[in-house]
Amino acid sequence: MRRASLGAAGAALLIAAGLVVVDRKVGLEALRTTATQLGTMLSVLPPVFVLIGLLDAWVDRDRVTSLLGESAGASGAIIALVLGSLAAGPVYAAFPAAAVLLGKGSTLANALVFVGGWSTTKIPLLLFEASAMGWKITLVRLAVDVPGVLAIAWLTAKIVPSESTCR
Protein backbone atom coordinates (compact mmCIF):
# COMPACT_ATOMS: atom_id res chain seq x y z
CA MET A 1 0.00 0.00 0.00
CA ARG A 2 1.29 3.46 -0.76
CA ARG A 3 2.39 5.83 1.97
CA ALA A 4 -0.38 8.34 1.10
CA SER A 5 -3.02 5.61 1.47
CA LEU A 6 -1.68 4.65 4.87
CA GLY A 7 -1.62 8.32 5.81
CA ALA A 8 -5.27 8.75 4.79
CA ALA A 9 -6.30 5.66 6.76
CA GLY A 10 -4.32 6.86 9.76
CA ALA A 11 -5.86 10.34 9.48
CA ALA A 12 -9.37 8.86 9.39
CA LEU A 13 -8.65 6.83 12.50
CA LEU A 14 -7.13 9.85 14.28
CA ILE A 15 -10.13 12.04 13.45
CA ALA A 16 -12.50 9.34 14.63
CA ALA A 17 -10.45 8.93 17.82
CA GLY A 18 -10.51 12.70 18.31
CA LEU A 19 -14.29 12.62 18.16
CA VAL A 20 -14.27 10.37 21.23
CA VAL A 21 -12.95 13.33 23.22
CA VAL A 22 -15.68 15.64 21.93
CA ASP A 23 -18.60 13.20 22.06
CA ARG A 24 -17.85 9.71 23.34
CA LYS A 25 -20.89 8.00 21.77
CA VAL A 26 -20.42 9.60 18.34
CA GLY A 27 -16.65 9.08 18.49
CA LEU A 28 -16.92 5.37 19.30
CA GLU A 29 -19.45 4.90 16.49
CA ALA A 30 -17.09 6.77 14.12
CA LEU A 31 -14.20 4.53 15.19
CA ARG A 32 -16.30 1.39 14.65
CA THR A 33 -17.46 2.58 11.24
CA THR A 34 -13.94 3.59 10.17
CA ALA A 35 -12.48 0.27 11.30
CA THR A 36 -15.26 -1.66 9.53
CA GLN A 37 -14.74 0.26 6.29
CA LEU A 38 -10.97 -0.20 6.42
CA GLY A 39 -11.44 -3.92 7.09
CA THR A 40 -13.82 -4.24 4.16
CA MET A 41 -11.46 -2.39 1.88
CA LEU A 42 -8.48 -4.49 2.97
CA SER A 43 -10.44 -7.70 2.38
CA VAL A 44 -11.57 -6.64 -1.10
CA LEU A 45 -8.38 -5.12 -2.49
CA PRO A 46 -6.05 -8.17 -2.49
CA PRO A 47 -8.29 -10.27 -4.78
CA VAL A 48 -8.88 -7.20 -6.95
CA PHE A 49 -5.15 -6.66 -7.32
CA VAL A 50 -4.67 -10.34 -8.21
CA LEU A 51 -7.32 -10.04 -10.93
CA ILE A 52 -5.78 -6.80 -12.17
CA GLY A 53 -2.38 -8.48 -12.27
CA LEU A 54 -3.88 -11.28 -14.34
CA LEU A 55 -5.51 -8.72 -16.63
CA ASP A 56 -2.15 -7.03 -17.04
CA ALA A 57 -0.38 -10.32 -17.76
CA TRP A 58 -2.97 -12.03 -19.95
CA VAL A 59 -4.45 -9.22 -22.03
CA ASP A 60 -2.30 -8.17 -24.94
CA ARG A 61 -1.51 -4.46 -25.31
CA ASP A 62 -2.37 -4.56 -29.01
CA ARG A 63 -5.84 -5.93 -28.18
CA VAL A 64 -6.56 -3.14 -25.69
CA THR A 65 -5.19 -0.53 -28.08
CA SER A 66 -7.38 -1.79 -30.91
CA LEU A 67 -10.52 -1.95 -28.74
CA LEU A 68 -10.04 1.10 -26.51
CA GLY A 69 -7.27 3.14 -28.12
CA GLU A 70 -7.27 6.22 -30.35
CA SER A 71 -8.43 4.31 -33.42
CA ALA A 72 -11.41 2.68 -31.65
CA GLY A 73 -13.67 5.73 -31.98
CA ALA A 74 -17.20 5.50 -30.57
CA SER A 75 -17.04 1.71 -30.37
CA GLY A 76 -14.24 2.08 -27.80
CA ALA A 77 -16.52 4.09 -25.53
CA ILE A 78 -19.29 1.51 -25.92
CA ILE A 79 -16.90 -1.35 -25.11
CA ALA A 80 -15.56 0.55 -22.07
CA LEU A 81 -19.10 1.23 -20.85
CA VAL A 82 -20.09 -2.43 -21.25
CA LEU A 83 -16.92 -3.62 -19.48
CA GLY A 84 -17.60 -1.25 -16.60
CA SER A 85 -21.24 -2.37 -16.44
CA LEU A 86 -20.22 -6.03 -16.21
CA ALA A 87 -17.62 -5.45 -13.50
CA ALA A 88 -18.19 -6.42 -9.90
CA GLY A 89 -16.96 -4.92 -6.69
CA PRO A 90 -16.74 -1.51 -5.11
CA VAL A 91 -15.97 1.50 -7.26
CA TYR A 92 -12.55 2.04 -5.67
CA ALA A 93 -11.50 -1.20 -7.39
CA ALA A 94 -12.21 0.40 -10.77
CA PHE A 95 -9.32 2.84 -10.52
CA PRO A 96 -6.47 0.30 -10.56
CA ALA A 97 -8.24 -1.51 -13.41
CA ALA A 98 -8.49 1.77 -15.33
CA ALA A 99 -4.78 2.36 -14.71
CA VAL A 100 -4.00 -1.01 -16.28
CA LEU A 101 -6.20 -0.12 -19.27
CA LEU A 102 -4.31 3.16 -19.65
CA GLY A 103 -1.01 1.33 -19.43
CA LYS A 104 -2.18 -1.08 -22.13
CA GLY A 105 -3.08 1.68 -24.61
CA SER A 106 -6.61 2.79 -23.75
CA THR A 107 -7.42 6.44 -24.22
CA LEU A 108 -8.04 8.46 -21.09
CA ALA A 109 -11.63 9.04 -22.20
CA ASN A 110 -12.30 5.31 -22.51
CA ALA A 111 -10.68 4.57 -19.15
CA LEU A 112 -12.95 7.22 -17.60
CA VAL A 113 -16.00 5.75 -19.37
CA PHE A 114 -15.01 2.39 -17.86
CA VAL A 115 -14.95 3.91 -14.36
CA GLY A 116 -18.19 5.76 -15.02
CA GLY A 117 -19.84 2.56 -16.24
CA TRP A 118 -18.58 0.72 -13.17
CA SER A 119 -20.05 3.35 -10.87
CA THR A 120 -23.39 4.03 -12.58
CA THR A 121 -24.50 1.13 -14.77
CA LYS A 122 -23.59 -2.12 -13.00
CA ILE A 123 -26.12 -4.65 -14.22
CA PRO A 124 -26.91 -6.36 -10.87
CA LEU A 125 -27.49 -2.96 -9.26
CA LEU A 126 -29.69 -1.87 -12.16
CA LEU A 127 -31.88 -4.92 -11.62
CA PHE A 128 -32.12 -4.18 -7.90
CA GLU A 129 -32.91 -0.53 -8.60
CA ALA A 130 -35.61 -1.47 -11.12
CA SER A 131 -37.22 -3.90 -8.68
CA ALA A 132 -37.15 -1.35 -5.87
CA MET A 133 -38.11 1.82 -7.76
CA GLY A 134 -39.42 0.63 -11.10
CA TRP A 135 -38.09 0.43 -14.62
CA LYS A 136 -39.24 3.92 -15.53
CA ILE A 137 -37.02 5.59 -12.92
CA THR A 138 -34.12 3.27 -13.76
CA LEU A 139 -34.35 4.02 -17.48
CA VAL A 140 -34.67 7.78 -16.88
CA ARG A 141 -31.59 7.68 -14.65
CA LEU A 142 -29.67 5.74 -17.29
CA ALA A 143 -30.81 8.17 -19.98
CA VAL A 144 -29.22 10.95 -17.94
CA ASP A 145 -26.20 9.08 -16.56
CA VAL A 146 -24.84 7.45 -19.72
CA PRO A 147 -24.60 10.67 -21.77
CA GLY A 148 -23.27 12.40 -18.65
CA VAL A 149 -20.51 9.80 -18.22
CA LEU A 150 -19.59 10.06 -21.90
CA ALA A 151 -19.55 13.86 -21.83
CA ILE A 152 -17.51 14.08 -18.63
CA ALA A 153 -14.99 11.52 -19.94
CA TRP A 154 -14.65 13.35 -23.26
CA LEU A 155 -14.27 16.78 -21.61
CA THR A 156 -11.79 15.50 -19.05
CA ALA A 157 -9.69 13.86 -21.77
CA LYS A 158 -9.65 17.16 -23.67
CA ILE A 159 -8.59 19.13 -20.59
CA VAL A 160 -6.04 16.75 -19.03
CA PRO A 161 -2.74 16.57 -20.94
CA SER A 162 -2.05 13.04 -22.22
CA GLU A 163 1.43 12.97 -20.69
CA SER A 164 -0.10 13.22 -17.20
CA THR A 165 -1.81 9.81 -17.47
CA CYS A 166 -0.17 6.60 -16.26
CA ARG A 167 1.11 5.17 -19.55
Side-chain angles (χ1 to χ4, degrees):
M1 204 182 305
R2 290 191 171 161
R3 198 175 301 188
S5 299
L6 290 173
L13 285 171
L14 283 174
I15 291 168
L19 282 173
V20 173
V21 175
V22 176
D23 185 334
R24 182 172 172 76
K25 184 178 177 186
V26 171
L28 289 174
E29 184 60 30
L31 275 173
R32 269 192 292 278
T33 302
T34 302
T36 300
Q37 293 300 318
L38 285 172
T40 300
M41 187 175 68
L42 291 174
S43 70
V44 168
L45 284 181
V48 166
F49 283 129
V50 167
L51 291 173
I52 289 169
L54 292 174
L55 170 74
D56 193 26
W58 289 348
V59 178
D60 186 42
R61 178 179 172 81
D62 293 335
R63 173 63 104 191
V64 173
T65 302
S66 68
L67 294 173
L68 301 172
E70 293 291 339
S71 64
S75 66
I78 293 167
I79 291 168
L81 186 67
V82 169
L83 287 174
S85 299
L86 294 174
V91 74
Y92 54 78
F95 296 104
V100 169
L101 291 177
L102 284 170
K104 293 278 188 175
S106 172
T107 63
L108 177 60
N110 287 338
L112 293 172
V113 168
F114 170 78
V115 172
W118 188 309
S119 65
T120 61
T121 62
K122 274 198 253 180
I123 292 171
L125 294 179
L126 290 176
L127 297 174
F128 173 74
E129 177 185 358
S131 68
M133 294 190 282
W135 281 104
K136 186 175 182 180
I137 290 174
T138 300
L139 293 175
V140 167
R141 186 185 65 77
L142 282 175
V144 172
D145 284 351
V146 170
V149 164
L150 296 171
I152 290 168
W154 182 80
L155 284 170
T156 302
K158 293 293 179 200
I159 294 169
V160 174
S162 61
E163 59 272 1
S164 66
T165 61
C166 54
R167 291 181 190 234

